[in-house]
Amino acid sequence: MPGPTYAELLAAVRARIREVTAESVRDALAEGRPIRLVDVRDPHEWAGGHLAGAVHVPLALLRPRIEEAVPEREAEVVLYCKVGERSAFAAEALGAMGYRNVASLAGGIVRWAHLGLPVARPSRMTDEQRERYRRHLVLSEVGEEGQARLLAAKVLLVGAGGLGSPIALYLAGAGVGTLGVVDSDVVDLSNLQRQVLHSTRTLGRPKVESAAEAISALNPDVRVIPFPERLGRDNALRILEGFDVVVDGGDNFPTRYLLNDACLLLGTPLVHGSVHRFEGQVTTFWPGRGPCYRCLFPAPPAPELAPNCAEVGVLGVLPGVVGLLQANEVIKILIGRGETLVGRLLAYDALETRFQELKVRRDPACPACRPGARPELVDYEAFCAGGR
Ligand SMILES: [Zn+2]
Protein backbone atom coordinates (compact mmCIF):
# COMPACT_ATOMS: atom_id res chain seq x y z
CA MET A 1 0.00 0.00 0.00
CA PRO A 2 1.54 3.35 -1.06
CA GLY A 3 2.19 5.94 1.63
CA PRO A 4 0.28 9.24 1.77
CA THR A 5 0.84 11.87 -0.91
CA TYR A 6 2.31 15.26 0.05
CA ALA A 7 -1.16 16.80 -0.24
CA GLU A 8 -2.60 14.20 2.12
CA LEU A 9 0.26 14.63 4.57
CA LEU A 10 -0.13 18.40 4.55
CA ALA A 11 -3.89 18.20 5.04
CA ALA A 12 -3.40 15.88 8.00
CA VAL A 13 -0.82 18.15 9.61
CA ARG A 14 -3.01 21.18 9.04
CA ALA A 15 -5.85 19.47 10.82
CA ARG A 16 -3.65 18.96 13.87
CA ILE A 17 -2.10 22.43 14.19
CA ARG A 18 -3.52 25.91 14.59
CA GLU A 19 -3.46 28.39 11.71
CA VAL A 20 -3.84 32.14 12.06
CA THR A 21 -4.68 34.71 9.40
CA ALA A 22 -2.41 37.61 8.43
CA GLU A 23 -5.12 40.04 9.54
CA SER A 24 -5.35 38.57 13.03
CA VAL A 25 -1.55 38.66 13.42
CA ARG A 26 -1.45 42.25 12.19
CA ASP A 27 -4.13 43.27 14.71
CA ALA A 28 -2.47 41.40 17.57
CA LEU A 29 0.90 43.05 16.81
CA ALA A 30 -0.78 46.47 16.61
CA GLU A 31 -2.25 45.84 20.07
CA GLY A 32 1.27 45.21 21.32
CA ARG A 33 0.88 41.47 21.95
CA PRO A 34 4.37 39.96 22.32
CA ILE A 35 4.15 37.53 19.41
CA ARG A 36 7.40 35.86 18.37
CA LEU A 37 7.46 35.72 14.60
CA VAL A 38 9.68 32.93 13.28
CA ASP A 39 10.58 32.74 9.61
CA VAL A 40 11.35 29.13 8.64
CA ARG A 41 12.32 29.77 5.01
CA ASP A 42 15.73 29.37 3.42
CA PRO A 43 18.37 32.08 3.92
CA HIS A 44 18.04 33.45 0.37
CA GLU A 45 14.29 33.85 0.86
CA TRP A 46 14.81 35.63 4.17
CA ALA A 47 17.34 37.94 2.56
CA GLY A 48 14.77 38.92 -0.04
CA GLY A 49 12.52 40.47 2.59
CA HIS A 50 10.78 39.29 5.75
CA LEU A 51 8.29 40.37 8.40
CA ALA A 52 9.55 43.16 10.63
CA GLY A 53 10.66 41.86 14.00
CA ALA A 54 10.86 38.21 12.86
CA VAL A 55 13.71 35.89 13.70
CA HIS A 56 15.07 33.54 11.09
CA VAL A 57 15.27 29.82 11.86
CA PRO A 58 15.35 27.77 8.64
CA LEU A 59 13.11 24.70 8.77
CA ALA A 60 16.06 22.31 8.47
CA LEU A 61 17.58 23.84 11.62
CA LEU A 62 14.33 24.37 13.50
CA ARG A 63 14.75 21.72 16.17
CA PRO A 64 18.38 22.50 17.14
CA ARG A 65 18.00 26.29 16.89
CA ILE A 66 14.53 27.17 18.13
CA GLU A 67 15.42 27.07 21.82
CA GLU A 68 18.06 29.71 21.27
CA ALA A 69 15.66 31.92 19.29
CA VAL A 70 12.60 31.37 21.50
CA PRO A 71 13.61 29.91 24.88
CA GLU A 72 10.18 30.24 26.51
CA ARG A 73 7.94 27.25 25.82
CA GLU A 74 4.83 29.28 26.69
CA ALA A 75 5.65 32.18 24.30
CA GLU A 76 3.09 32.97 21.60
CA VAL A 77 4.88 31.85 18.44
CA VAL A 78 3.71 32.46 14.88
CA LEU A 79 5.70 30.55 12.28
CA TYR A 80 5.63 31.53 8.66
CA CYS A 81 7.10 30.52 5.34
CA LYS A 82 6.28 31.46 1.78
CA VAL A 83 2.72 30.08 1.54
CA GLY A 84 2.06 28.41 4.89
CA GLU A 85 3.03 24.79 4.14
CA ARG A 86 6.52 24.47 5.63
CA SER A 87 5.35 26.51 8.61
CA ALA A 88 2.53 24.00 9.20
CA PHE A 89 5.07 21.19 9.52
CA ALA A 90 7.22 23.47 11.68
CA ALA A 91 4.27 24.16 13.98
CA GLU A 92 3.74 20.46 14.50
CA ALA A 93 7.44 19.99 15.27
CA LEU A 94 7.42 22.77 17.88
CA GLY A 95 4.27 21.36 19.44
CA ALA A 96 6.10 18.06 19.85
CA MET A 97 8.96 19.95 21.56
CA GLY A 98 6.56 21.30 24.16
CA TYR A 99 5.82 24.74 22.73
CA ARG A 100 2.23 25.24 23.81
CA ASN A 101 1.13 28.37 21.94
CA VAL A 102 2.25 27.88 18.34
CA ALA A 103 0.47 28.79 15.13
CA SER A 104 1.26 28.80 11.43
CA LEU A 105 0.58 31.90 9.36
CA ALA A 106 -2.02 30.91 6.76
CA GLY A 107 -0.92 31.89 3.26
CA GLY A 108 2.59 32.78 4.52
CA ILE A 109 4.46 35.94 3.61
CA VAL A 110 2.92 35.88 0.13
CA ARG A 111 -0.56 36.53 1.49
CA TRP A 112 0.85 38.95 4.06
CA ALA A 113 2.46 41.03 1.33
CA HIS A 114 -0.60 40.67 -0.91
CA LEU A 115 -2.65 42.41 1.79
CA GLY A 116 -0.18 45.31 1.65
CA LEU A 117 1.21 44.56 5.12
CA PRO A 118 4.78 45.74 5.73
CA VAL A 119 7.73 43.60 4.74
CA ALA A 120 11.13 44.58 6.10
CA ARG A 121 13.71 45.49 3.51
CA PRO A 122 16.42 42.98 2.79
CA SER A 123 19.43 43.43 4.94
CA ARG A 124 22.77 44.21 3.41
CA MET A 125 24.59 44.01 6.70
CA THR A 126 27.93 42.22 6.83
CA ASP A 127 28.78 39.70 9.54
CA GLU A 128 31.02 42.31 11.12
CA GLN A 129 28.18 44.84 11.21
CA ARG A 130 25.89 42.24 12.70
CA GLU A 131 28.39 41.77 15.49
CA ARG A 132 29.08 45.49 15.96
CA TYR A 133 25.39 46.38 16.25
CA ARG A 134 24.28 43.21 18.04
CA ARG A 135 22.92 45.08 21.06
CA HIS A 136 20.77 47.17 18.71
CA LEU A 137 19.64 44.17 16.66
CA VAL A 138 18.21 42.39 19.70
CA LEU A 139 16.10 45.43 20.61
CA SER A 140 12.76 44.98 18.86
CA GLU A 141 12.41 48.78 18.67
CA VAL A 142 15.63 49.01 16.63
CA GLY A 143 16.28 45.60 15.10
CA GLU A 144 17.60 45.07 11.60
CA GLU A 145 15.21 47.57 10.14
CA GLY A 146 16.15 50.34 12.56
CA GLN A 147 19.85 49.62 12.16
CA ALA A 148 19.51 49.72 8.38
CA ARG A 149 17.84 53.11 8.73
CA LEU A 150 20.68 54.37 10.91
CA LEU A 151 23.28 53.12 8.44
CA ALA A 152 21.47 54.83 5.58
CA ALA A 153 20.97 58.08 7.52
CA LYS A 154 22.74 61.39 6.95
CA VAL A 155 23.06 63.64 9.98
CA LEU A 156 24.62 67.09 9.99
CA LEU A 157 26.39 68.11 13.16
CA VAL A 158 26.98 71.83 13.46
CA GLY A 159 29.85 72.40 15.88
CA ALA A 160 32.43 69.82 16.93
CA GLY A 161 32.83 71.24 20.43
CA GLY A 162 31.38 70.46 23.85
CA LEU A 163 27.93 69.42 22.63
CA GLY A 164 29.22 68.07 19.32
CA SER A 165 31.70 65.71 20.98
CA PRO A 166 29.27 63.29 22.64
CA ILE A 167 26.83 63.69 19.75
CA ALA A 168 29.46 62.71 17.18
CA LEU A 169 30.90 59.84 19.19
CA TYR A 170 27.59 58.23 20.09
CA LEU A 171 26.00 58.70 16.67
CA ALA A 172 29.13 57.17 15.17
CA GLY A 173 28.96 54.30 17.64
CA ALA A 174 25.29 53.77 16.81
CA GLY A 175 26.18 53.41 13.13
CA VAL A 176 24.71 56.58 11.65
CA GLY A 177 26.15 56.09 8.18
CA THR A 178 26.96 59.66 7.20
CA LEU A 179 27.97 62.44 9.57
CA GLY A 180 28.53 65.93 8.23
CA VAL A 181 30.61 68.02 10.63
CA VAL A 182 30.67 71.82 10.40
CA ASP A 183 33.38 73.64 12.36
CA SER A 184 35.94 76.28 11.43
CA ASP A 185 37.98 76.16 14.66
CA VAL A 186 41.18 74.40 15.60
CA VAL A 187 41.61 72.29 18.74
CA ASP A 188 42.71 74.42 21.71
CA LEU A 189 44.02 73.16 25.05
CA SER A 190 41.14 74.82 26.92
CA ASN A 191 38.65 72.81 24.81
CA LEU A 192 39.72 69.44 26.18
CA GLN A 193 37.98 69.90 29.56
CA ARG A 194 34.74 68.95 27.75
CA GLN A 195 35.39 68.38 24.03
CA VAL A 196 36.29 64.72 24.33
CA LEU A 197 36.13 64.15 20.58
CA HIS A 198 39.58 65.78 20.44
CA SER A 199 42.75 64.95 22.27
CA THR A 200 46.07 66.33 23.37
CA ARG A 201 47.52 64.67 20.27
CA THR A 202 45.31 66.73 17.93
CA LEU A 203 45.99 70.15 19.54
CA GLY A 204 46.24 72.90 16.93
CA ARG A 205 44.61 70.81 14.20
CA PRO A 206 41.28 71.71 12.57
CA LYS A 207 38.43 70.31 14.63
CA VAL A 208 36.80 68.70 11.59
CA GLU A 209 40.02 66.72 10.98
CA SER A 210 40.39 65.72 14.60
CA ALA A 211 36.71 64.75 14.67
CA ALA A 212 36.95 62.68 11.49
CA GLU A 213 39.92 60.76 12.93
CA ALA A 214 38.15 60.00 16.20
CA ILE A 215 34.95 58.96 14.42
CA SER A 216 36.72 56.64 11.97
CA ALA A 217 38.72 55.10 14.80
CA LEU A 218 35.48 54.31 16.63
CA ASN A 219 33.50 53.13 13.62
CA PRO A 220 34.89 52.82 10.09
CA ASP A 221 31.29 52.34 8.82
CA VAL A 222 30.72 56.06 9.24
CA ARG A 223 31.46 58.39 6.35
CA VAL A 224 32.45 61.84 7.63
CA ILE A 225 31.84 64.88 5.43
CA PRO A 226 33.93 67.75 6.84
CA PHE A 227 32.86 71.37 6.41
CA PRO A 228 35.80 73.41 7.76
CA GLU A 229 33.86 76.62 7.42
CA ARG A 230 31.75 79.01 9.43
CA LEU A 231 28.05 78.57 8.87
CA GLY A 232 26.54 81.70 7.35
CA ARG A 233 23.61 82.79 5.23
CA ASP A 234 25.58 82.21 2.04
CA ASN A 235 26.54 78.60 2.68
CA ALA A 236 23.83 77.34 5.06
CA LEU A 237 21.45 75.88 2.48
CA ARG A 238 24.29 74.35 0.47
CA ILE A 239 25.66 72.62 3.58
CA LEU A 240 22.30 71.51 5.02
CA GLU A 241 20.84 70.21 1.76
CA GLY A 242 20.43 66.44 1.67
CA PHE A 243 20.81 65.76 5.40
CA ASP A 244 17.96 63.93 7.20
CA VAL A 245 18.47 65.60 10.56
CA VAL A 246 20.46 68.64 11.70
CA VAL A 247 21.90 68.82 15.22
CA ASP A 248 22.83 72.18 16.66
CA GLY A 249 26.00 71.72 18.67
CA GLY A 250 27.03 75.30 18.03
CA ASP A 251 25.52 76.83 21.14
CA ASN A 252 25.52 80.42 19.91
CA PHE A 253 22.73 82.75 18.84
CA PRO A 254 23.68 83.40 15.20
CA THR A 255 23.91 79.66 14.48
CA ARG A 256 20.67 78.95 16.33
CA TYR A 257 18.62 81.42 14.27
CA LEU A 258 20.32 80.53 11.02
CA LEU A 259 19.77 76.79 11.53
CA ASN A 260 16.16 77.33 12.58
CA ASP A 261 15.35 79.32 9.46
CA ALA A 262 17.31 77.10 7.08
CA CYS A 263 15.71 73.95 8.50
CA LEU A 264 12.26 75.52 8.08
CA LEU A 265 13.07 76.24 4.44
CA LEU A 266 14.25 72.66 3.88
CA GLY A 267 11.70 70.95 6.16
CA THR A 268 14.51 69.25 8.09
CA PRO A 269 14.14 68.32 11.78
CA LEU A 270 16.54 70.26 14.02
CA VAL A 271 17.72 69.03 17.40
CA HIS A 272 18.57 71.98 19.59
CA GLY A 273 20.83 72.04 22.63
CA SER A 274 22.41 74.73 24.74
CA VAL A 275 24.50 74.96 27.90
CA HIS A 276 25.32 77.76 30.30
CA ARG A 277 27.32 77.34 33.53
CA PHE A 278 25.43 74.46 35.21
CA GLU A 279 22.26 74.57 33.14
CA GLY A 280 21.37 72.97 29.87
CA GLN A 281 18.38 72.77 27.55
CA VAL A 282 17.36 70.46 24.78
CA THR A 283 14.39 70.31 22.43
CA THR A 284 13.53 69.28 18.89
CA PHE A 285 12.16 71.57 16.21
CA TRP A 286 10.45 69.61 13.48
CA PRO A 287 8.96 71.80 10.75
CA GLY A 288 5.22 71.25 10.46
CA ARG A 289 5.00 69.16 13.63
CA GLY A 290 5.63 71.70 16.38
CA PRO A 291 7.06 75.09 17.26
CA CYS A 292 10.30 76.49 15.89
CA TYR A 293 13.01 78.39 17.73
CA ARG A 294 11.50 81.74 16.76
CA CYS A 295 8.12 80.71 18.24
CA LEU A 296 10.00 80.83 21.55
CA PHE A 297 12.42 83.67 20.82
CA PRO A 298 11.33 85.68 17.75
CA ALA A 299 14.64 87.59 17.46
CA PRO A 300 18.08 87.40 19.04
CA PRO A 301 18.95 89.69 21.95
CA ALA A 302 20.89 92.87 21.20
CA PRO A 303 24.63 92.15 21.36
CA GLU A 304 25.13 94.51 24.35
CA LEU A 305 22.50 92.55 26.32
CA ALA A 306 23.89 89.12 25.58
CA PRO A 307 26.22 87.41 28.03
CA ASN A 308 29.89 87.62 27.28
CA CYS A 309 30.38 83.94 26.81
CA ALA A 310 34.15 83.98 26.85
CA GLU A 311 34.03 84.82 30.54
CA VAL A 312 31.27 82.40 31.46
CA GLY A 313 32.30 78.96 32.62
CA VAL A 314 30.63 75.67 31.91
CA LEU A 315 30.86 72.48 33.90
CA GLY A 316 32.69 70.04 31.63
CA VAL A 317 30.21 67.19 31.93
CA LEU A 318 27.19 69.42 31.24
CA PRO A 319 27.54 69.54 27.43
CA GLY A 320 28.14 65.78 27.69
CA VAL A 321 24.73 65.26 29.28
CA VAL A 322 22.93 67.67 26.94
CA GLY A 323 24.72 66.40 23.83
CA LEU A 324 23.74 62.82 24.63
CA LEU A 325 20.11 63.86 25.01
CA GLN A 326 20.44 65.44 21.57
CA ALA A 327 21.98 62.25 20.15
CA ASN A 328 19.07 60.29 21.63
CA GLU A 329 16.63 62.59 19.84
CA VAL A 330 18.43 62.03 16.55
CA ILE A 331 18.28 58.25 16.91
CA LYS A 332 14.55 58.29 17.67
CA ILE A 333 13.83 60.53 14.68
CA LEU A 334 15.85 58.22 12.43
CA ILE A 335 14.32 54.93 13.57
CA GLY A 336 10.83 56.40 13.95
CA ARG A 337 10.33 55.09 17.49
CA GLY A 338 9.47 56.73 20.81
CA GLU A 339 8.43 60.28 21.61
CA THR A 340 10.65 63.14 20.51
CA LEU A 341 10.97 66.47 22.32
CA VAL A 342 8.86 68.24 19.69
CA GLY A 343 6.79 70.79 21.65
CA ARG A 344 8.70 70.08 24.86
CA LEU A 345 11.79 71.77 26.21
CA LEU A 346 13.81 69.76 28.65
CA ALA A 347 15.88 71.82 31.08
CA TYR A 348 18.65 70.24 33.14
CA ASP A 349 20.21 71.65 36.28
CA ALA A 350 23.53 69.91 36.83
CA LEU A 351 24.15 71.36 40.31
CA GLU A 352 20.83 70.11 41.67
CA THR A 353 20.58 67.14 39.29
CA ARG A 354 17.07 68.04 38.27
CA PHE A 355 15.22 67.86 34.99
CA GLN A 356 12.30 70.12 34.22
CA GLU A 357 10.00 69.85 31.25
CA LEU A 358 8.32 72.88 29.73
CA LYS A 359 5.60 72.78 27.09
CA VAL A 360 6.42 74.96 24.11
CA ARG A 361 3.70 75.92 21.68
CA ARG A 362 3.70 76.99 18.10
CA ASP A 363 3.12 80.73 17.75
CA PRO A 364 0.53 81.26 14.98
CA ALA A 365 2.11 84.67 14.32
CA CYS A 366 5.70 83.36 14.34
CA PRO A 367 7.78 85.38 11.85
CA ALA A 368 9.50 82.24 10.60
CA CYS A 369 6.99 79.36 10.62
CA ARG A 370 3.52 80.91 10.34
CA PRO A 371 1.65 79.64 7.28
CA GLY A 372 3.03 81.20 4.12
CA ALA A 373 6.16 82.57 5.83
CA ARG A 374 9.39 82.14 3.92
CA PRO A 375 12.19 83.15 6.24
CA GLU A 376 15.19 84.98 4.82
CA LEU A 377 18.49 83.84 6.16
CA VAL A 378 20.27 86.46 8.26
CA ASP A 379 23.82 86.63 9.62
CA TYR A 380 23.51 87.91 13.16
CA GLU A 381 26.54 89.42 14.84
CA ALA A 382 28.61 86.69 16.44
CA PHE A 383 28.83 88.15 19.92
CA CYS A 384 29.14 84.82 21.59
CA ALA A 385 31.74 83.07 19.44
CA GLY A 386 33.66 80.35 21.20
CA GLY A 387 31.02 80.12 23.90
CA ARG A 388 30.45 76.45 23.51
ZN1 LIG B 1 7.95 79.41 14.63
Side-chain angles (χ1 to χ4, degrees):
M1 189 179 147
T5 63
Y6 175 71
E8 287 163 353
L9 208 53
L10 178 65
V13 166
R14 272 198 166 132
R16 290 193 293 266
I17 58 137
R18 193 162 65 85
E19 286 189 307
V20 286
T21 63
E23 291 91 335
S24 70
V25 173
R26 172 200 59 196
D27 295 345
L29 289 171
E31 282 167 21
R33 236 161 71 198
I35 294 180
R36 310 295 304 267
L37 294 167
V38 179
D39 187 319
V40 300
R41 296 174 302 159
D42 291 340
H44 74 273
E45 298 178 276
W46 163 266
H50 51 82
L51 303 200
V55 290
H56 181 220
V57 186
L59 185 59
L61 299 168
L62 188 69
R63 287 179 183 85
R65 292 258 180 95
I66 191 63
E67 285 166 312
E68 192 186 330
V70 185
E72 317 84 14
R73 293 292 205 273
E74 45 303 312
E76 184 174 1
V77 180
V78 172
L79 300 151
Y80 74 90
C81 59
K82 188 175 174 188
V83 294
E85 297 183 2
R86 281 171 287 175
S87 59
F89 289 98
E92 182 155 74
L94 289 200
M97 285 180 75
Y99 285 86
R100 287 189 280 281
N101 192 357
V102 180
S104 164
L105 181 66
I109 194 172
V110 167
R111 184 166 148 69
W112 178 274
H114 186 71
L115 291 171
L117 298 176
V119 174
R121 281 176 298 168
S123 165
R124 281 177 225 98
M125 243 174 267
T126 63
D127 289 348
E128 196 181 317
Q129 286 175 322
R130 260 174 223 295
E131 190 58 21
R132 179 181 286 271
Y133 306 118
R134 206 167 69 189
R135 297 296 181 98
H136 269 170
L137 299 180
V138 296
L139 288 173
S140 62
E141 291 81 357
V142 184
E144 281 211 18
E145 208 184 340
Q147 191 61 52
R149 282 193 193 194
L150 293 176
L151 285 165
K154 299 175 79 178
V155 174
L156 183 71
L157 175 57
V158 180
L163 292 169
S165 287
I167 299 170
L169 288 171
Y170 274 84
L171 291 184
V176 169
T178 302
L179 272 179
V181 181
V182 187
D183 205 305
S184 60
D185 284 350
V186 296
V187 180
D188 182 82
L189 188 56
S190 68
N191 297 151
L192 299 183
Q193 164 250 23
R194 62 203 177 285
Q195 302 185 11
V196 296
L197 189 54
H198 313 296
S199 68
T200 311
R201 207 172 45 80
T202 59
L203 282 175
R205 304 223 349 242
K207 284 189 181 175
V208 288
E209 270 182 41
S210 168
E213 264 183 37
I215 290 168
S216 310
L218 176 61
N219 188 350
D221 278 350
V222 181
R223 181 170 69 112
V224 178
I225 305 178
F227 296 96
E229 49 197 307
R230 230 189 139 70
L231 197 75
R233 54 179 289 192
D234 296 332
N235 62 6
L237 291 178
R238 165 177 61 81
I239 292 175
L240 266 63
E241 188 96 71
F243 284 96
D244 303 313
V245 181
V246 173
V247 200
D248 184 359
D251 201 22
N252 65 75
F253 286 103
T255 302
R256 231 169 262 170
Y257 284 92
L258 192 61
L259 286 181
N260 181 72
D261 298 350
C263 284
L264 280 172
L265 286 170
L266 296 168
T268 311
L270 168 64
V271 179
H272 162 87
S274 71
V275 291
H276 182 74
R277 292 172 46 83
F278 296 95
E279 284 163 27
Q281 295 184 340
V282 52
T283 187
T284 293
F285 302 117
W286 198 330
R289 299 198 187 193
C292 79
Y293 187 70
R294 285 185 195 266
C295 291
L296 279 69
F297 309 104
E304 61 273 19
L305 296 178
N308 180 351
C309 295
E311 286 174 19
V312 175
V314 62
L315 190 69
V317 298
L318 176 63
V321 173
V322 173
L324 284 186
L325 289 168
Q326 289 180 277
N328 186 47
E329 287 293 292
V330 174
I331 301 279
K332 286 184 296 174
I333 292 170
L334 294 176
I335 65 173
R337 292 296 187 127
E339 280 290 318
T340 63
L341 284 171
V342 169
R344 298 184 289 151
L345 185 128
L346 191 65
Y348 173 60
D349 181 334
L351 265 190
E352 304 291 328
T353 309
R354 259 184 241 286
F355 283 97
Q356 204 190 349
E357 191 180 307
L358 307 164
K359 264 210 158 26
V360 285
R361 285 178 211 290
R362 197 161 173 187
D363 176 2
C366 170
C369 76
R370 66 166 185 265
R374 221 189 129 68
E376 273 208 23
L377 302 185
V378 180
D379 282 325
Y380 292 106
E381 196 182 330
F383 47 74
C384 205
R388 56 176 180 266

